[in-house]
Amino acid sequence: MKTADDWQDYKITATSDGMKLERWKDVVLLRPDPQVIWKGEDLSLRDGIHAVYRRSEKGGGGWDVRRAFPAEWVISYRDLKFKIKPMGFKHTGLFPEQAVNWNVMRLLIENALKTRGEVKVLNLFAYTGGASVACAKSGALVTHVDAAKGMVERAGENARLSGVDSGIRYIVDDCMKFVTREIRRGNRYDAVIMDPPSYGRGPNGEMWKIEENLFGFVADCAKLLNDKPIFFLINSYTTGLQPEVLKNILKLNLRGFDGSFDAYEVGIPTEEGINLPCGASCIYIGRGN
């Protein structure tokens, strides 16, 4: 497992009975986490909690606010800044564990720019732009694609907070349709990032199911790589989709490219002295990068 262990503005304080207690700078939130299957303390009884996310028996849920806190606020990671806002379905607009992937991609981009005039990155299912902002901050030209207009707008806010005033092209579109058009247009990229959902719908009702669509979609994305790609990263939060499965998908689709593959869990260390698993990743790194 690779862990994001150098956060200052984010910490997991404790975990128990399906919940994780987190500090987002000065705000303490208690949220469900499906990986926390162990029993222990009732974390909801702790003092200092600003809000607890409660699931509804009818589906979804909402925030039980206990102490006043801002509707949104900013946290920092190294030289990056992100806006945090508790939203529906327990999200806050950022996945802190992805810092382990941001660090790797930034280093690869910065090294590549020493010998290349530019680095073009395609970020698919790009959400609020954590990876887009990180890559652009290191000098890449990023095409950011997501079907949710509100999330794309938030990505622009995060970019501006991080001092990235240019270098990101924002696209509100179904990712599969966008890739098909890019192939037809003959566009090429030095790197591809994707963080596909388990299930989803595009802006016009397009259906996505990761077990059925991921392999073919990666095959299409491989057609967008230039002759010497820098990297191809897949991250997934789908329960049961192991890192080695992502590695197999990449290896089978990138047979024509020379490079290495690294598959791993991503996680966050907690103040209890354990690591909380948060998803699976695999990255292809082109030879010489």
Side-chain angles (χ1 to χ4, degrees), residues 92-287:
T92 61
L94 189 69
F95 295 96
E97 64 275 5
Q98 286 304 310
V100 296
N101 287 326
W102 303 340
N103 296 343
V104 172
M105 292 186 293
R106 292 189 68 176
L107 183 60
L108 289 169
I109 290 166
E110 290 163 9
N111 287 338
L113 283 172
K114 296 175 183 177
T115 57
R116 305 187 188 206
E118 64 179 20
V119 170
K120 296 174 64 178
V121 175
L122 175 61
N123 188 11
L124 301 165
F125 310 100
Y127 194 50
T128 57
S132 295
V133 174
C135 291
K137 189 71 173 179
S138 285
L141 301 176
V142 181
T143 298
H144 173 109
V145 187
D146 197 280
K149 182 179 179 181
M151 297 301 100
V152 174
E153 291 173 347
R154 177 57 57 93
E157 294 177 7
N158 286 332
R160 291 186 288 275
L161 283 170
S162 295
V164 179
D165 297 319
S166 61
I168 303 179
R169 179 171 64 123
Y170 302 97
I171 307 290
V172 179
D173 202 353
D174 173 75
C175 289
M176 297 178 74
K177 288 187 174 181
F178 177 80
V179 166
T180 298
R181 289 196 299 272
E182 286 291 88
I183 294 171
R184 188 167 59 244
R185 288 188 286 247
N187 288 333
R188 295 291 181 268
Y189 294 87
D190 299 288
V192 173
I193 307 164
M194 65 171 66
D195 195 343
S198 300
Y199 301 94
R201 288 185 180 271
N204 297 313
E206 302 89 349
M207 284 296 299
W208 165 273
K209 187 175 181 180
I210 196 167
E211 293 87 351
E212 297 177 1
N213 298 120
L214 182 59
F215 183 82
F217 186 56
V218 173
D220 285 342
C221 291
K223 299 173 184 177
L224 295 177
L225 294 172
N226 65 23
D227 293 338
K228 294 183 178 180
I230 301 170
F231 64 84
F232 194 130
L233 172 73
I234 304 177
N235 185 76
S236 174
Y237 292 99
T238 301
T239 302
L241 197 61
Q242 302 297 320
E244 197 69 16
V245 173
L246 302 180
K247 183 177 180 179
N248 291 342
I249 289 172
L250 277 177
K251 290 187 77 171
L252 290 169
N253 279 309
L254 300 181
R255 289 183 177 184
F257 298 98
D258 187 19
S260 60
F261 300 84
D262 188 13
Y264 45 90
E265 286 185 282
V266 292
I268 294 279
T270 81
E271 292 184 349
E272 306 154 303
I274 63 173
N275 293 323
L276 181 63
C278 299
S281 294
C282 183
I283 188 169
Y284 157 85
I285 298 176
R287 191 73 64 196

Side-chain angles (χ1 to χ4, degrees), residues 3-15 19-33 73-78 82 84 90 92 94-99 102 267-271 276-278:
T3 59
D5 57 7
D6 60 343
W7 276 94
Q8 300 300 315
D9 282 358
Y10 174 80
K11 297 291 182 183
I12 297 179
T13 304
T15 58
M19 304 292 282
K20 60 183 175 183
L21 187 64
E22 307 164 292
R23 177 178 62 79
W24 298 81
K25 200 170 184 178
D26 298 323
V27 178
V28 178
L29 303 178
L30 182 61
R31 296 192 291 162
D33 192 298
W73 64 100
V74 176
I75 70 171
S76 299
Y77 176 76
R78 297 187 178 182
F82 302 102
I84 303 302
K90 76 177 182 177
T92 61
L94 189 69
F95 295 96
E97 64 275 5
Q98 286 304 310
W102 303 340
I268 294 279
T270 81
E271 292 184 349
L276 181 63
C278 299

